[in-house]
Tab-separated table of all heavy atoms in Angstrom:
chain	number	residue	atom	x	y	z
A	56	LEU	N	137.508	91.620	138.071
A	56	LEU	CA	136.142	91.994	137.748
A	56	LEU	C	135.614	93.105	138.789
A	56	LEU	O	134.833	93.976	138.345
A	56	LEU	CB	135.304	90.607	137.894
A	56	LEU	CG	133.839	90.721	137.397
A	56	LEU	CD1	133.804	91.109	135.851
A	56	LEU	CD2	133.206	89.217	137.499
A	57	GLU	N	136.090	92.952	140.031
A	57	GLU	CA	135.677	93.914	140.951
A	57	GLU	C	136.074	95.280	140.511
A	57	GLU	O	135.426	96.270	140.643
A	57	GLU	CB	136.109	93.542	142.359
A	57	GLU	CG	135.488	92.337	142.950
A	57	GLU	CD	136.262	91.809	144.325
A	57	GLU	OE1	137.245	92.337	144.591
A	57	GLU	OE2	135.520	91.058	145.019
A	58	ASN	N	137.364	95.371	139.980
A	58	ASN	CA	137.974	96.537	139.641
A	58	ASN	C	137.169	97.212	138.357
A	58	ASN	O	136.834	98.472	138.327
A	58	ASN	CB	139.387	96.437	139.183
A	58	ASN	CG	140.241	96.188	140.328
A	58	ASN	OD1	139.906	96.508	141.523
A	58	ASN	ND2	141.433	95.595	140.123
A	59	ILE	N	136.726	96.296	137.529
A	59	ILE	CA	135.855	96.759	136.372
A	59	ILE	C	134.669	97.336	136.864
A	59	ILE	O	134.229	98.477	136.472
A	59	ILE	CB	135.513	95.436	135.352
A	59	ILE	CG1	136.858	94.999	134.710
A	59	ILE	CG2	134.506	95.984	134.308
A	59	ILE	CD1	136.618	93.710	134.004
A	60	MET	N	133.910	96.673	137.790
A	60	MET	CA	132.663	97.189	138.376
A	60	MET	C	132.852	98.431	139.083
A	60	MET	O	132.042	99.423	138.912
A	60	MET	CB	132.036	96.002	139.189
A	60	MET	CG	131.567	94.824	138.403
A	60	MET	SD	131.071	93.456	139.443
A	60	MET	CE	129.427	94.008	140.140
A	61	VAL	N	133.855	98.630	139.862
A	61	VAL	CA	134.139	99.825	140.593
A	61	VAL	C	134.382	100.963	139.557
A	61	VAL	O	133.887	102.078	139.698
A	61	VAL	CB	135.329	99.800	141.555
A	61	VAL	CG1	135.814	101.088	142.089
A	61	VAL	CG2	134.921	98.812	142.707
A	62	ASP	N	135.247	100.653	138.475
A	62	ASP	CA	135.459	101.634	137.483
A	62	ASP	C	134.179	102.148	136.762
A	62	ASP	O	134.055	103.257	136.335
A	62	ASP	CB	136.353	101.035	136.363
A	62	ASP	CG	137.744	100.932	136.969
A	62	ASP	OD1	138.139	101.388	138.035
A	62	ASP	OD2	138.583	100.226	136.182
A	63	MET	N	133.074	101.335	136.896
A	63	MET	CA	131.824	101.710	136.235
A	63	MET	C	130.925	102.488	137.228
A	63	MET	O	129.904	102.934	136.951
A	63	MET	CB	131.033	100.418	135.838
A	63	MET	CG	131.782	99.755	134.687
A	63	MET	SD	130.908	98.014	134.433
A	63	MET	CE	129.465	98.642	133.560
A	64	GLY	N	131.453	102.742	138.387
A	64	GLY	CA	130.822	103.472	139.544
A	64	GLY	C	129.895	102.692	140.494
A	64	GLY	O	129.308	103.288	141.344
A	65	ILE	N	130.041	101.399	140.287
A	65	ILE	CA	129.402	100.590	141.310
A	65	ILE	C	129.981	100.636	142.629
A	65	ILE	O	131.209	100.479	142.856
A	65	ILE	CB	129.239	99.117	140.735
A	65	ILE	CG1	128.348	99.054	139.461
A	65	ILE	CG2	128.776	98.186	141.791
A	65	ILE	CD1	128.405	97.800	138.667
A	66	ALA	N	129.199	100.708	143.690
A	66	ALA	CA	129.791	100.760	145.134
A	66	ALA	C	129.998	99.331	145.552
A	66	ALA	O	129.038	98.589	145.788
A	66	ALA	CB	128.710	101.457	146.035
A	67	LEU	N	131.184	98.874	145.508
A	67	LEU	CA	131.482	97.528	145.809
A	67	LEU	C	132.674	97.589	146.763
A	67	LEU	O	133.690	98.139	146.659
A	67	LEU	CB	132.002	96.836	144.563
A	67	LEU	CG	132.431	95.336	144.680
A	67	LEU	CD1	132.070	94.625	143.425
A	67	LEU	CD2	133.820	95.140	145.100
A	68	THR	N	132.462	96.847	147.938
A	68	THR	CA	133.552	96.735	148.933
A	68	THR	C	133.778	95.246	149.278
A	68	THR	O	132.835	94.472	149.413
A	68	THR	CB	133.209	97.366	150.348
A	68	THR	OG1	131.847	96.947	150.700
A	68	THR	CG2	133.147	98.962	150.091
A	69	SER	N	135.089	94.834	149.212
A	69	SER	CA	135.301	93.414	149.581
A	69	SER	C	136.157	93.330	150.793
A	69	SER	O	137.079	94.111	150.888
A	69	SER	CB	136.093	92.773	148.293
A	69	SER	OG	137.311	93.341	148.154
A	70	GLU	N	135.797	92.413	151.734
A	70	GLU	CA	136.516	92.340	152.828
A	70	GLU	C	137.405	91.009	152.943
A	70	GLU	O	137.175	90.213	151.911
A	70	GLU	CB	135.559	92.299	154.003
A	70	GLU	CG	134.879	93.553	154.436
A	70	GLU	CD	133.391	93.443	154.626
A	70	GLU	OE1	132.925	92.431	155.213
A	70	GLU	OE2	132.672	94.421	154.304
Side-chain angles (χ1 to χ4, degrees):
L56 195 53
E57 289 174 349
N58 291 338
I59 294 169
M60 291 172 70
V61 168
D62 289 349
M63 294 171 75
I65 291 169
L67 181 150
T68 51
S69 65
E70 282 136 34

